[in-house]
Amino acid sequence: VQGIPHSLEKLIEAFSRFPGIGKKTAQRLAFFVLKSDKEIAADLANVLIEVKENIRSCEICHHIAEISPCPICVDECRDQSILCVVETPEDIFLFEKTGFRGVYHVLGGVISPLDGVGPDDLNMEDLLERLQNVREVIVATNASIEGDATALYLAKLLSSMNLRVSRLARGLPVGGHLEYVDEATLLRSIDERVEIQ
Ligand SMILES: [Zn+2]
């Protein structure tokens, strides 16, 4: 942009890389930082670095946490025999709000041939390794074509094992992501989950 100093331009560019932030919002944020005390800018810089340094992936479930294994995996009050398979760590936060007391496994995505994502690109192998004492796997991938395909793949993969495999009930918007579902609907879709194997 004409007339905008280079370092300010760089900040605008950095903000516009964030999801949901358009050029205009990026500009507003950058000007906010510019007008703020130096302390606020330093704080922002620090928390950005801290979050990258302190947050790791749980070695068991791949959830994000400051320690590994994460607090959910080591919580003895939880039912370790019900395992909810989700696409992303963000999904776990949604399930936690419903009061779900099982444990989780983060796949890290869904099978999507068009995007070049196959089963080997997801956290499937170590999912198989943790099923000894599991009696039910709830596949909670999104209600999308890829989410459904991934659920079917998992059902097939687990078919030789002596456990129940279920899928969240519909009532979730088709193609919709879990993040747009309210807690009550999500809770209902857990309660009314359907057996797929
Ligand atoms: Zn964990």
Side-chain angles (χ1 to χ4, degrees):
V1 183
Q2 278 291 335
I4 294 189
H6 183 61
S7 21
L8 185 58
E9 182 82 64
K10 263 169 58 185
L11 183 58
I12 295 170
E13 235 179 75
F15 277 129
S16 54
R17 284 189 210 119
F18 286 82
I21 305 285
K23 198 87 196 171
K24 264 207 174 126
T25 308
Q27 264 184 33
R28 230 177 12 205
L29 293 173
F31 277 106
F32 170 78
V33 171
L34 190 63
K35 280 182 289 186
S36 306
D37 293 340
K38 201 169 179 182
E39 234 169 81
I40 288 183
D43 269 356
L44 178 65
N46 284 336
V47 292
L48 284 175
I49 291 164
E50 249 173 60
V51 81
K52 292 303 287 181
E53 279 177 354
N54 295 350
I55 305 279
R56 64 207 69 219
S57 177
C58 170
E59 64 203 85
I60 297 175
C61 72
H62 302 282
H63 188 27
I64 49 170
E66 274 166 356
I67 45 164
S68 175
C70 74
I72 293 178
C73 283
V74 296
D75 185 347
E76 286 174 4
C77 297
R78 303 184 78 107
D79 187 347
Q80 301 277 344
S81 73
I82 298 186
L83 198 150
C84 180
V85 176
V86 294
E87 292 182 24
T88 66
E90 288 99 308
D91 294 333
I92 293 182
F93 298 122
L94 303 175
F95 279 93
E96 285 298 280
K97 279 197 241 162
T98 69
F100 177 73
R101 296 297 287 160
V103 290
Y104 303 95
H105 192 84
V106 180
L107 286 179
V110 276
I111 297 171
S112 175
L114 284 178
D115 301 311
V117 181
D120 294 346
D121 302 307
L122 305 171
N123 303 318
M124 291 223 181
E125 213 150 284
D126 55 352
L127 168 65
L128 296 181
E129 284 163 17
R130 48 184 300 220
L131 296 178
Q132 298 85 0
N133 298 313
V134 170
R135 59 189 165 89
E136 178 174 358
V137 171
I138 303 173
V139 185
T141 47
N142 285 304
S144 61
I145 293 171
E146 293 82 7
D148 286 342
T150 306
L152 283 177
Y153 181 89
L154 274 175
K156 222 171 167 184
L157 194 66
L158 306 179
S159 62
S160 61
M161 294 175 172
N162 186 26
L163 47 80
R164 186 178 172 205
V165 183
S166 57
R167 178 100 171 93
L168 290 185
R170 295 310 171 127
L172 297 176
V174 173
H177 276 241
L178 291 178
E179 60 180 309
Y180 303 119
V181 178
D182 62 272
E183 275 162 59
T185 308
L186 187 56
L187 185 59
R188 208 181 58 221
S189 73
I190 299 172
D191 286 343
E192 295 173 359
R193 62 189 184 270
V194 285
E195 213 160 321
I196 53 176
Q197 175 203 301

